[in-house]
Structure formats: structure tokens, C-alpha cells
Amino acid sequence: MIQKSSCIFVFLLLFAFGLFGQRSEESFNSDWEFLRADVKGSPIFQAWEKVTLPHTARLESKVVVSQFQGDCVYRKSFTCHLKKNEKAFLYFEGVMMTATVYLNGTRMTTHEGGYLPFTVDLTSALTHGKNVIEVRVNNEDNPQIPPGKPLKDLDFNYYGGIYRNVKLIKTNEIHITDAVHENIPASGGIFVNFNSFQASTAKAKVLVHVKNESKNPANIRVETTITDGKGFSNRSISNTQELLGHTSLQIESNVSVAHAELWSPSHPFLYHMTVRVYKDNKLVDEQNQKVGIRFFELKEDGFYLNNEKYFLSGTNRHQEYPYIGYALSDEANWRDAVLIKNAGFNFVRLSHYPQSEAFLDACDELGLIVMNSLPGWQFMGDSTFQANVKQNLRDMVRRDRNRTCVLFWENSLNETWMEKPFMAELNQILDQEFPFYSISASWIDDASYDLFIPARQHGKAPDYWNHYRNGAKHILIAEYGDWEYYAQNAGFQQKSFSDLKEEERTSRQLRSDGEKRLLQQTTNFQEASNSNRKGATTIGEANWLMFDYNRGYSPDLESSGIADIFRIPKFSYDFYKSQISPRDFSRDSRLAPPNNIEIASYWSPDSPLDVTVFSNAEEVKLYLNDSLIGRKTPTVNELSDHLSQAPFVFHVDAFEAGTLMAVAFDDGKEVGLDRVSTATNPDGMDMEVDFMGIPIASDHMDVFFARVKILDHESLVSTAQNEVTFEIIKGKNVELIGENPVKAEAGIASILVRTTSFHDEIHIQATSPNLGTLIYIIKP
């Protein structure tokens, strides 16, 4: 928000604390006991069960009709031996939504709010022997806690439980504090900013907040070291300063990085930074973090990243999984980020709340620009609610201010009317907490915000926001492709729109809704994206949305995702893949290669004879049963003339059962191939587990999908609904979650697999009547 100069360089970091010096950190996720009230508001609880975190208060059905809301309790017995001058803290990354923490019967704290972390100082109530921690959790509607809106009226579900990680942290009495826990504007913890970049040398100002919780004064100094893993290393040592007992001090260091490598979506380079605190030349605390350097700004003619004009092509993400709600593993969050990056996106909006630290880690490392968002949707509450919104903003900035990926702050309540003084105060808070260059964003076009982020449907068809002008302000289309088609105020350029039935026009299409409707969803996204890019002041877009999800107010899935709730892509995913630009591609082994080609057809007797092929290649050849249909460059028309890459459209004179084959060419050389064959009657199955380049966690909880494809020979039968029964026939610490047996949807049956550790082979068996049995083996 503050614009003290046209370009201020920000040094951002990934929170990954090291286990060095007097600081230790360990997972506190295992060996919990859990119970839940059987009926909302009931004082009667069921029996204790053993659980591992992250954990959801109740497993829900795939389509959530009556989500659990009420009370539940978590407890854990543990020992914690503290040395002299040591302290112990519990760090809760996220509990939905009110949590009261007790240690050995002593109430330690109550925290309100489900999307941001809180820390509990255990030191005063710890015993030398057995300790019992108890967390009483409630997720009932509360109009004073953001998002505030009753679940039955909400456009998403917020589930319940201790659904993110918990960590036990031990420190010396003299230690680096936690920024959220300290609750000091622009302070607490480590705060780093690169405020100079000249002749390829970046200079960082590192602010380190140190607290002395002993009664004695101490002489302390801070040492900061930055390395690149390739030989570069530079260190800064602060002056020694006296820190009185029971006081704290913010100490500034300055570090230069010569020949700095700048972070971007195509080159998400991260440095390593170590901050050490010494007392009388003895190491008392140390933290290690990954750090990235990049600079950005809104100029008169657009958004610039590292002094290059940059268009943001992105999506919105809800963080839920089927059955387990928000209780994803770190690896599952990473796999979501890989799917988003592989779809060709360089940007993701965290709709409509702060998301997990693991997801932001992935965005840092994979190269995804993030818009961080406050919890909220179409609701404004009383003064207490508003005070909590402001505290959420402070906590969100303190948690994520050093993130490489976070360039935009949605410090506003989505689709909620806010009075001018309230908006002004939210921007004042951002300025206070982040007194460097930042970009604030709101769906209300108020002068206090830097960037206007309406949904496409908030504009008037057919031009929507293409002619937006408000002085030098820019616009980012924060949602598009869904509501404007669902409400039927779009599609004016689609020649076939008038012939479509109401359910065929919408972008809300399940994978089981068939080829024609999935192709219509793709056309909607393509048309809307093409239209968005015509706006002279438009710096980017985010489609609605990445994954299908549940909503509190509707007993069905919101299915405008370009992948379903099981993370299986639809045709529209392939459209976005074809828009991948070399400037956004990161050569990371966890990501798919940049060259891609996909045929958007099932090639059945009902398939359109105009066959669309999505590819980012220069030319494509299409064959039917080895006979050449044609060789084409991209088909540019009124639906594609502003895209990075138009689709390839081929006309086939008549349907002929067999195989379509598309071959992609760059500079006359073959770079990709895809085949689709006519499928009729199921005669077999194939099972897969796609880890998206992220292996199963070996020593903590993980969740992933096992899928069975119903085949005709080797071709997917897209209409198949065969029932499949899954079974774990070998494996330790592993379970299946979800409907079982499960009917295939569009030829694929999915089930969720949860592990608490992974050191032995897992054998998953799938059986379907008339199709037999197969076994999939997962090896450590």
C-alpha cells in the first residue's frame, strides 16, 4: 500500500525453522485422543478414539448435506523435560474455530478464529513427569468470528477440528520471538526487506526481535548469514547490546547479496538464511529459513515483476478435500500447488481465507504468485466482528510478510459492503504492519486500495470490465467463467449459446455430465479469458475455480472447477495447460514438461465432428485411424484472438470408430503426441496413484487418491459407472476413507488413502463385478 518509491525491493522468506543451538522443534501431531459431541449442542460425547493430526472433527460425505457443528475435545499425554533456562511453546497452525487450551487442568488460553496460527507458552504449567494437554474446540456459527456468516448461508464449508499441524518448540529464555504471538506492529520474530538493488547487488535489512525472559540482563548480538548453495556466502554481525531481564529488543542487521538471482515463476530461486543469537558469545537461538529476492510494482501501463511487464494468469483455490474437509497433509497441499502450476497458471488467489503454510511453501518453491485473502464472504458483523477482522489482518501479515510468493494483499472482505472508514483503517493496518511497498486489493473500487479486483459478473455484459478507467488504477479480474454463465448474462459471442439448455450453458459441470457439457465449460472459460485480456488496464485474471467444492448453503457440489473434488482434470484444465508460456515454466522435476497436447474428445458416436486439440505447440497434425485429417496452426477467431495460444480445431467429415491421434510440432520437430480411442463396453480396469512428484510422507500423516479406470481394452469408458470395491490387503498405518464400494464417475472410481507413516509396502486391491480384481503396490 505504501508507495515511498517506484520500486522497493523486498526480501522474502519461507518459514522453515532449524533445530540448532538452544532451539528445538518437533511435530506434536501424533498420539492424540479425540471425542466429539454426538448431537449438536449435546453434552453427551462418544468414546475417546486415537487420532493423528491434522484431523477433521467428523468425516463427511462427498457431498456435504449437514456438516458437523458443535463441540469436540482433543487431549494428549506427553513428557517434556526442560533444562535450566529453557521454555516450551505449542504452536497451533490452525484450529476451527474456537479453541480453549488446558495444560494439566490449568486454562492457558482461548483463541478465536480458524485460519491463522496461535502459540501457547506452556512453561509455567509444565511438570517434570506426565503432562496432559487438552484442547476444547467449537465450530458452531459465530457472527463475531470471521467469516461470520452462518454455515447454512455460506458459499463454502469451514469444517472443524485441529486441522493443521501442531508443533512443540523449546527455546532458551533468551530467544527470537514469534511475530503473531508477540502482537507488535511490524515487529516480533524476523522481518526482512531488501530496500536496495544496484549493480546486481541486493541489500537486506533484517529485523530480529529478541526477548529475555530471565530476570538477569544479558549482552546479546545477532549474526545473519545468507548463502546460495553454490559458493556464495555473506554474513552480518550486529553490535553487542544489553538486554535487560523481562524485556525485549528489536535488533537490525544488514546483509548484501552480490550477483543476486531474482525469484520469478520461471526461476523460483531461494537462498538460505541463518539467524543466530548469542549471549556473551554463546549461541542461545538459531533459525534457518529459505529466502527469495524479487521486486514488483504497478506502473502506469501495467504490473511489473523484476522490471518486466507481467500478466497474471491464475485461479482461485478452496483448500478442502472430500471426506476430510480441511485436514490435508502438507504433501496434499503441495500436490494441489503442483496441479495449479501444471495447469499453466502463474498466480493463485487464496479464496476466501489464509491457507496452510505448506501450500505457501510450495508456492514459494514452485513459483506461484499469491494473493493472500482475509476470511470473509458477503457478511459484515458488529464492532466485535470488525475488531476481529482487523486482528486477522495483522496476524495474516505477520505470518506471511516474509513470503516470497505473496505480492498482493486482499485486505478486504470479499463481496461485502464496507464503509469508507473501515476500508481506510484496513489499509492503515497494512501500512503499519508492512511499512514497505505493497499492493492492497479490494472488490470495492475505493481510493484507499491500490488494485480493483471485481468478479467478471460484477460488470455489465458483453464488455464487462474491458473499458474500465479510474485514473491510474489497474484491475485484476478476481473471478470469472462461472456466475456470469450460471446467471446467463454471458456467452454473447458463442454462436451455439441460444441452442443450449439451461444446464448446458453453465460452467458448473461435473465430470459425469458428459462430453458436450464439459466442452461447454471449456468454451466458457476460453471466451471469458479471451475477453478479459482485451482490457487495457487489466493486469491479470483468476478463474473460478481450480477444484470443485462443497458449500454450506447448497446440498450439491459447486462444479465449476477445472478439476473435480478428487483432483481429476476436466477438458478445461487442458485448455489452460495450452496457455503455458516459457516465461512461467520452471524446470522443476516435480512439474510436468512444458510441451503439451491433449485431444478434447472422447471420440464416441455422439462426439462433435469439430475436434478441438489443446497444445502450446506451433502446429498440430490430426489423424483418424492413421489417415491424416489435417495439419494446422492455431485456430484464431473471436473466442481466441487475445489468448496466449488459440486451440487447434479440425473438422472430421463423419464419425468412424477407432483412434484419433494428434501430433504437436515446434520448428518442424515432433514435441508431443496424444491418442483417444472409441470405447464401448468395459472389459478391464487399471489402477493408479498419482503423487504429482511429491512422495508419500514417511514419518507423518499423508493423504492421497487411489483411482481405478474402467477400460475397453486400453481406452477409458467415459460413461462407465461400474461399482468398485477397494481394500488394503497389505500395509501398516494405512486406511481407506470414503464411499466403498464406490461407483465410477465418468469411468473413474476414486478413494482417499490416509497413512500415518510409510515404511512398508502398501497393497491396494480393487474388485469390480465382471471386471475382475487387480492389485496396486506402493513401495517406500
Side-chain angles (χ1 to χ4, degrees), residues 693-706:
I694 309 299
I696 303 175
S698 61
D699 60 354
H700 57 264
M701 190 277 280
D702 199 357
V703 288
F704 53 89
F705 295 107

Side-chain angles (χ1 to χ4, degrees), residues 568-586:
I568 302 173
K570 305 173 188 178
F571 288 147
S572 50
Y573 185 93
D574 298 330
F575 158 67
Y576 284 108
K577 279 173 57 180
S578 72
Q579 305 301 299
I580 291 177
S581 166
R583 71 185 308 193
D584 293 328
F585 176 69
S586 172

Side-chain angles (χ1 to χ4, degrees), residues 633-649:
T633 56
T635 306
V636 179
N637 55 32
E638 68 274 13
L639 300 186
S640 60
D641 54 359
H642 283 71
L643 297 175
S644 299
Q645 176 82 327
F648 299 79
V649 182

Side-chain angles (χ1 to χ4, degrees), residues 155 315-316 318 479-486 506-511 513 518 521-522 524-525 543-549 551 557-565 570 572-573 576:
D155 191 48
T315 189
N316 285 268
H318 273 302
E479 300 175 20
Y480 73 90
D482 170 39
W483 188 262
E484 68 267 34
Y485 295 93
Y486 185 76
T506 177
S507 298
R508 299 184 181 185
Q509 305 292 356
L510 298 166
R511 281 195 320 104
D513 285 334
L518 291 174
Q521 183 202 56
T522 306
N524 292 351
F525 281 123
N543 78 344
W544 191 263
L545 78 167
M546 187 65 202
F547 305 114
D548 293 350
Y549 68 103
R551 298 162 294 165
L557 289 176
E558 208 283 36
S559 54
S560 59
I562 65 171
D564 72 7
I565 198 168
K570 305 173 188 178
S572 50
Y573 185 93
Y576 284 108

Side-chain angles (χ1 to χ4, degrees), residues 197-328:
F197 187 82
Q198 296 178 349
S200 76
T201 295
K203 296 182 179 180
K205 179 169 70 174
V206 184
L207 303 175
V208 181
H209 188 251
V210 182
K211 178 177 281 189
N212 180 0
E213 297 201 55
S214 73
K215 62 182 180 180
N216 301 315
N219 294 318
I220 64 167
R221 61 180 170 85
V222 172
E223 177 184 287
T224 304
T225 305
I226 296 175
T227 63
D228 66 358
K230 298 183 287 187
F232 170 83
S233 178
N234 198 13
R235 182 175 61 175
S236 173
I237 302 175
S238 73
N239 294 326
T240 299
Q241 301 185 48
E242 184 180 35
L243 181 59
L244 298 176
H246 301 297
T247 65
S248 62
L249 184 66
Q250 185 157 277
I251 299 174
E252 179 178 329
S253 298
N254 293 278
V255 188
S256 295
V257 178
H259 308 292
E261 292 192 48
L262 299 182
W263 182 96
S264 70
S266 62
H267 185 66
F269 185 80
L270 297 172
Y271 288 84
H272 297 269
M273 184 172 106
T274 301
V275 176
R276 295 186 176 98
V277 177
Y278 292 87
K279 170 196 172 186
D280 299 326
N281 295 319
K282 179 181 179 182
L283 180 68
V284 292
D285 201 1
E286 177 175 325
Q287 291 187 18
N288 292 313
Q289 303 174 355
K290 292 182 179 179
V291 301
I293 307 168
R294 81 286 185 273
F295 57 97
F296 62 96
E297 61 178 322
L298 290 172
K299 293 185 178 181
E300 184 176 349
D301 63 335
F303 172 74
Y304 281 73
L305 176 64
N306 301 333
N307 209 32
E308 291 186 9
K309 191 173 182 180
Y310 205 87
F311 188 83
L312 299 161
S313 175
T315 189
N316 285 268
R317 182 217 186 208
H318 273 302
Q319 66 180 9
E320 77 165 83
Y321 252 34
Y323 314 123
I324 60 171
Y326 282 175
L328 279 67

Side-chain angles (χ1 to χ4, degrees), residues 316-319 328 333 336 348-351 355 359 547:
N316 285 268
R317 182 217 186 208
H318 273 302
Q319 66 180 9
L328 279 67
N333 277 291
D336 271 8
V348 59
R349 177 177 177 239
L350 306 186
S351 51
Q355 299 188 13
F359 184 75
F547 305 114

